[in-house]
Amino acid sequence: MAEAVVSFVLESVRDFTIQEAKFLSGVSRQVEAAQTELEFMQGFLKDADARQGQDIGVRICVAKIRDAAYDLEDIIETYGLKVDSKKKKRGLKNVLKRFACIFKEGADVHRIGAEIENITTKISALRSNLQSYNIKETRDRDSGGGESSLQLHERLRRSYSHVVERDVVGLESNVEELVMHLVKDENRHQVVSVWGMGGLGKTTLARKVYHHKKVRQHFHSFAWVCVSQRFQVRNVWERILIELTSATKEQKQEIKDMTDDEIAKKLFLFLQEMRCLVILDDIWRIEAWNLLEIAFPNVETESTIFLTTRNQAVASLPNRNAYRHQLQPLNENESWELLEKKTISENADIDLGMYTKKRELGMNMLRHCKGLPLAIIVLAGVLARKNTVREWERVHENVREYIRKGTGHEEEFKGASWILAWSYDDLPYYLKSCFLYLGHYPEDCIISVSTLTKLWVAEGLIFSRQQRHSLGETMEDIAHDWLSELVERCLVQVGTSGSTGTIKGCRIHDLVRDMCLLRAKEESFLQIKYSLQENTSSMAAEATQLGKIRRLAIYLDKNADMLVSSRDETNGHVRSLLFFGLREWISKSEKGLLYPLKDFKVLRVLKVEGLRAIRGVELPSEIGNMVHLRFLSVRRSEIKTFPPSLGNLVCLQTLDFRVPAYIDIVIPNVIMKMKKLRHLYLPWNYSAKGKVELSTLGHLQTLHNLSSEYCDLKDVGRLTNLRKLKIRVLGSLQNLEEILKSTGSTLNHIRSLIVKNDTNSGEEQAMQIVSSCRGIYKLTLDGPIAELPKELHNYPNLTKLVLWSCGLKEDQMGILEKLPNLTNLKLFEKPFEENTKILVFSRGGFPSLEFLHVSRMDQITELRVEKGAMPRLCQLCIQFCSGLTTLPDGLRYLIYLKELTIRWMCRELHHRIEEDGEDFYKIQHVPSLVIGEPLD
């Protein structure tokens, strides 16, 4: 992780010195020398990170390097921001005070320069220390000065074809499916790949397929190679060729004497002419495949390459005729079957009562394993020699710790975290910090991807390579790409997805989280504090923490006395402070509740959402001194004031002030000072003295709750990077047409538009705003709107439309169904006028629609779906429509419908769609039926 920290700090310091060079003139020489020393240090850190697990001296050195790099960044940025602030205030000083200020600034420059030089000297000394431990300077991943923890993992992990596991469960259907694809004579696949997270049993599955009777009869030659992460291409080719040809001693020597080209050609021809099966177990990177595939035929052949991987990109192989198989976790019954086979002997003399009690305990413990065979085997290793129910009960009391630690000396019992850690070790340095950041979040939490990516950017964990930046990609785009890579590597799971497949929510497996927290503490990356205890958990407490705490996640419960202690001396180094559990906690006093935050002098991230107090919460004016803040969110917190001192937060990138709607806040005109803002979420109800100026926010991408009453719409025209806009139309707007014309092409760059019309008089103006945003992909209309823009069908990118309480005229359905690219339509709470009783989806209408959501339309008594309507519909959800007593007969024409959700409808409808009900024939072709509870 030191490599990641130093790289991020270098990137940050370079950017800061470029943007704020005029404020660093007095210490520019020292800053340049520090940068140079960090660049020298970079070359040693790949090897040092890999070997710190083997030598405590290296580990201590690495921790000191991390701290020095962070301290350097804090000093440089603090000084630069201080100089900037003073220069802005200097115009208010008289001449005598200016002279005094000059002398003081000279002393400050000398002091800061000396501090930077001291850190530079320390980094230089640490570099020498690393060299004394035989740490090598390298920019090459494959070099190093000894066996790293990753090499040790690989050696222990190496798989062999002759090892066939006993007690395999849940793989039968997987084996049969893969065997079918391997032995079929038509439409053969050149490559068959199995992918999934570590510990799912990919190697076990490969062995079962490799030894399957039909496979052994179908293929003539076989080879099995475990592709280590530090593999050499030639060695893999040699091994495959030797196994396929069953080479004699002389033939092996001939192969070893061949050049690389000769081996590749010989292997290519052998695979092309013979019917061979080659297993490549545990390929981690697409680059590895790209190097190896030169020797594999890319023409018609009867040979097949079978590979296992944790990386989805490796499994996909777009240039090959590949079949991809994703391995899934075990279900509840399969999990118990595996645990039972490993712990209870078939010949054991066990009475029914003891078996029943063990099964009950076992099933409870298996909930923590989440179907991961590896975790179940680790648990079984603990239980195998425990014969009494009392012994099982003791394990049950500490099951999470047992699963993580394992027992015994054999590799399979060393613990799930240790094994899953290999996936972490393989991450490039820039993904390691992003992954460890997930440790902030509580167990089983669905993490908002939108928030997560903003946090990554605010923390400086995302950097833009020049070629990507030139293509117009934002930091947030890169963050989404990096999250997708973590998903492909099976370290992160998709929680929720959007209609276009984008990841909206993510989570991590409990055991992956355990490993994440263990690594986070080892690297001093993160500490979790509980409101009633100081230890982070028995899992993380085991790791020795070296270095200063930089990030805190605080978990509160209803018994907590305070948010955070003001006496903790570590607060001055903390960069990230995230609170969880605030919804369950109500403070008895609003005074001083957030005052201790003043001690967090270099804080970059503050997330305090859902905070409540009996009389509301005061946001102290001292928050304006936290000038390093990049991310501030008080969403859903009962904050009563918007302090003018917030204008001092010139580094702020995300400001989320969406307090509850029942709080009316007065916003001073200071947001214009936050010129680096990228995402601004204003309160729902707010007022201002005059207008809130926004024209200076040239980096702004997201603007929520723009008020037509208290904001100047002309400012929007200057926000050339704006992509998401939510505007609230309050009353009539004068000269709106001229204002919209003055915005030029800015509104056409907006991708997502939400228009909330709060008055009947604002309907025309709401539509004028929509008509000015021709490039939108998503449109939400909320409030009275009788007619849609007639030119809506000419919006080339419009794919998602949400209508909420609009009261549209019934004939507007004709405009909606002609939208050529609309794939997602949501109709909520009287989207059409109240006298609309029948909703008709006409023949040929909605040609591209894939997702339809109908909710809270109580006035509708009949839905009609004509044959030929919505021909591509694949998901349909109908809920809270109490007037509907039957489903449309036309549903049976929707042949691509894959999922139908019916919830909270009248009991009569629910009875009709039961398997023996009158309407079941209409939906029996749908593969996934989700039928929820009826309305009372």
Side-chain angles (χ1 to χ4, degrees), residues 835-855:
N835 60 2
T836 303
K837 303 297 182 183
I838 302 174
L839 197 61
V840 180
F841 295 86
S842 305
R843 180 185 183 91
F846 299 101
S848 301
L849 196 66
E850 298 176 6
F851 305 91
L852 175 61
H853 192 114
V854 180
S855 181

Side-chain angles (χ1 to χ4, degrees), residues 476 629-632 642 646 649-656 670-682 693-694 696-703 719 721-722:
E476 290 78 5
L629 269 180
R630 267 86 164 162
F631 180 102
L632 173 60
F642 190 106
L646 285 174
L649 306 182
V650 295
C651 291
L652 207 60
Q653 298 172 356
T654 297
L655 175 60
D656 193 339
V670 297
I671 294 177
M672 61 181 178
K673 299 178 182 179
M674 308 173 188
K675 296 180 181 179
K676 293 185 179 180
L677 269 180
R678 304 167 73 88
H679 309 281
L680 174 59
Y681 301 89
L682 294 168
E693 188 179 342
L694 303 172
T696 58
L697 310 181
H699 297 285
L700 203 65
Q701 300 173 27
T702 306
L703 176 54
L719 308 180
N721 287 299
L722 194 63

Side-chain angles (χ1 to χ4, degrees), residues 97 176 189-190 214 217 292 384 399 417 451 609 782 802:
K97 286 184 178 180
E176 292 304 319
H189 298 287
Q190 292 177 351
K214 290 182 180 178
Q217 291 173 343
L292 290 170
V399 62
S417 265
T451 300
E609 298 181 346
D782 186 355
V802 180

Side-chain angles (χ1 to χ4, degrees), residues 565 583 597 632 716 830:
S565 172
R583 291 185 181 182
L597 295 177
L632 173 60
V716 176
K830 300 178 182 176

Side-chain angles (χ1 to χ4, degrees), residues 528-765:
I528 293 177
K529 286 191 175 182
Y530 293 82
S531 54
L532 296 181
Q533 63 225 41
E534 290 300 314
N535 63 307
T536 63
S537 75
S538 59
M539 178 280 308
E542 185 179 290
T544 302
Q545 188 160 288
L546 297 172
K548 301 171 184 175
I549 299 301
R550 303 289 175 174
R551 296 170 184 85
L552 279 178
I554 297 181
Y555 293 2
L556 294 168
D557 62 25
K558 61 183 180 181
N559 298 313
D561 295 324
M562 62 183 73
L563 279 177
V564 63
S565 172
S566 60
R567 297 187 299 273
D568 194 333
E569 61 185 24
T570 66
N571 292 352
H573 307 298
V574 173
R575 292 175 160 223
S576 176
L577 184 58
L578 277 67
F579 290 92
F580 297 93
L582 288 174
R583 291 185 181 182
E584 287 73 42
W585 185 66
I586 301 180
S587 174
K588 299 178 179 62
S589 171
E590 80 278 11
K591 289 190 176 180
L593 188 59
L594 296 175
Y595 188 72
L597 295 177
K598 67 180 177 57
D599 297 326
F600 294 83
K601 300 185 184 303
V602 295
L603 200 67
R604 292 177 172 224
V605 167
L606 176 58
K607 183 172 177 284
V608 53
E609 298 181 346
L611 179 62
R612 296 180 294 165
I614 293 175
R615 297 181 182 84
V617 181
E618 292 285 350
L619 193 60
S621 61
E622 286 80 4
I623 196 169
N625 298 329
M626 302 166 70
V627 293
H628 295 269
L629 269 180
R630 267 86 164 162
F631 180 102
L632 173 60
S633 177
V634 293
R635 187 178 184 185
R636 295 187 301 274
S637 291
E638 295 179 338
I639 304 291
K640 300 187 297 184
T641 57
F642 190 106
S645 63
L646 285 174
N648 297 336
L649 306 182
V650 295
C651 291
L652 207 60
Q653 298 172 356
T654 297
L655 175 60
D656 193 339
F657 224 89
R658 287 178 288 182
V659 298
Y662 52 80
I663 297 176
D664 193 351
I665 283 186
V666 177
I667 296 185
N669 191 22
V670 297
I671 294 177
M672 61 181 178
K673 299 178 182 179
M674 308 173 188
K675 296 180 181 179
K676 293 185 179 180
L677 269 180
R678 304 167 73 88
H679 309 281
L680 174 59
Y681 301 89
L682 294 168
W684 179 250
N685 283 320
Y686 64 91
S687 58
K689 296 177 181 178
K691 297 286 187 179
V692 177
E693 188 179 342
L694 303 172
S695 62
T696 58
L697 310 181
H699 297 285
L700 203 65
Q701 300 173 27
T702 306
L703 176 54
H704 263 229
N705 297 331
L706 177 74
S707 168
S708 63
E709 185 173 357
Y710 296 109
C711 298
D712 190 341
L713 295 187
K714 289 181 181 179
D715 288 350
V716 176
R718 300 182 179 93
L719 308 180
T720 55
N721 287 299
L722 194 63
R723 296 296 177 265
K724 297 180 180 180
L725 173 63
K726 180 177 180 179
I727 184 169
R728 190 176 181 194
V729 180
L730 298 165
S732 59
L733 296 170
Q734 296 181 350
N735 305 318
L736 178 62
E737 190 172 348
E738 292 180 17
I739 292 172
L740 293 174
K741 285 181 180 178
S742 70
T743 62
S745 61
T746 299
L747 292 180
N748 281 329
H749 293 153
I750 292 175
R751 298 174 182 174
S752 175
L753 175 65
I754 302 173
V755 180
K756 176 69 171 85
N757 178 30
D758 281 342
T759 63
N760 289 323
S761 61
E763 179 183 332
E764 181 181 349
Q765 286 146 337

